[in-house]
Amino acid sequence: MLLRIFAGIVASGALVRATTSWSISFKTEGGCSTASGSGGTFPTSLPTITTTSTISTAITEEEVTVPATSTITADPVTTTTVSTQTIWFFTTSTVTVPTTTSWRGAESIVATVTWPSTVCTNDITPSTVTEYTGSYTPISGQVTTIPTSYPSEVLCATGITWLTYYFPTATSGSTTVTSTPTSTVYTSTITKTITNSYAETTFATTVSSVTTSYRLASSIVTTSTACEATTTTTLAAKCAPTSVVAGVGDHGLVSGRYAANNTVIYLRDEKYIDPSLCCQLCQDNEGCAGMMAGIGGYCGLLYVANPNGLPGPVCDFVFTYQTQSNVFPLQGLWVQSGCGEIDYTGSDGV
């Protein structure tokens, strides 16, 4: 940002003047640090607190002396010019191409994702006991413990410095500038002809083709029942809080490459923001290739459409994930496979 304003003060006489101009600019500097916490709920994303401070500084430059300027007018100069006019002609030719393709879109529903919702008719909010079935082998380096202390917030400080520069100028003496008027006389006109050719394309035959987009349907299955004081939830071992992949080594996760024919549905039901329950929902839905949760408070279930155009999903590769140095474990993405394949590809180099 730059703003310059001129202020003038007559010092004495007609040949000596003092003027001062000034400009205003600013610069911004900042930095962030991370605070740690313990206990309570482990945050899946870090809140950021920003503070801003402002200071102003005035800088006066050394005075510069310049001569005053006066202008005299010399005899005019006349230039003789021949003008040119151009006439354009356009011709059209036809080019015939053997075949063109006419594309039309089609939509394919890969699968219907269902998730349960229980309504207690007796105003009881049951406590939940969680059990796990099966076994799970962590990937190499996977973070499998919930730390006792963890990054809890990011503290950022920004400093803004406003700089006002003063430029004093003194005018003394005089200098002369000569101004010479000019005029142009057109004596004759030359005509120039230009021909442009354009080709129109026609097609001998048209072939129709279909491009298919994939999507998922969804359905909530609601059950109304008299609830017990305690309910038992059974999860797959791979969906335990320490089994869902949320960090490798010292770093958290970001997404990588996706299958070309993948499709995803995002659930923002508060219950399934829990990565373990999101993981189990993927296990419970046939054809769910993998899940991704965490940043932004969502549960994403990913499917892979059949590449041969057949109905239904396939249990195939769906996405890759990687670590990133500026993401903390358990505070980036949480991922786990369903019936398909997800691949860890190492660090993204950041």
Side-chain angles (χ1 to χ4, degrees), residues 163-312:
L163 302 170
T164 304
Y165 293 91
Y166 293 95
F167 304 94
T169 301
T171 303
S172 178
S174 65
T175 184
T176 301
V177 176
T178 300
S179 173
T180 303
T182 61
S183 61
T184 301
V185 175
Y186 295 95
T187 59
S188 61
T189 301
I190 296 176
T191 300
K192 182 170 61 174
T193 301
I194 297 177
T195 302
N196 279 347
S197 298
Y198 294 91
E200 293 183 350
T201 302
T202 61
F203 301 96
T205 59
T206 299
V207 176
S208 295
S209 188
V210 178
T211 177
T212 302
S213 61
Y214 302 99
R215 73 176 182 89
L216 296 168
S218 61
S219 174
I220 301 176
V221 179
T222 302
T223 302
S224 298
T225 185
C227 296
E228 301 289 340
T230 302
T231 183
T232 300
T233 298
T234 301
L235 305 181
K238 69 193 309 183
C239 294
T242 54
S243 297
V244 181
V245 187
V248 177
D250 297 327
H251 306 306
L253 306 182
V254 294
S255 61
R257 179 176 61 89
Y258 293 84
N261 52 333
N262 87 91
T263 185
V264 61
I265 187 169
Y266 294 105
L267 309 180
R268 296 191 179 274
D269 187 315
E270 184 175 353
K271 175 181 178 180
Y272 295 106
I273 292 176
D274 182 334
S276 287
L277 298 182
C278 179
C279 172
Q280 186 60 44
L281 190 61
C282 182
Q283 313 307 311
D284 293 339
N285 275 271
E286 182 180 0
C288 178
M291 57 76 58
M292 185 181 292
I295 299 174
Y298 68 84
C299 167
L301 305 184
L302 292 95
Y303 288 70
V304 180
N306 194 311
N308 299 319
L310 298 175

Side-chain angles (χ1 to χ4, degrees), residues 133-153:
T133 61
S135 61
Y136 172 71
T137 302
I139 68 170
S140 178
Q142 179 180 341
V143 177
T144 57
T145 58
I146 303 296
T148 55
S149 73
Y150 44 79
S152 59
E153 62 183 0

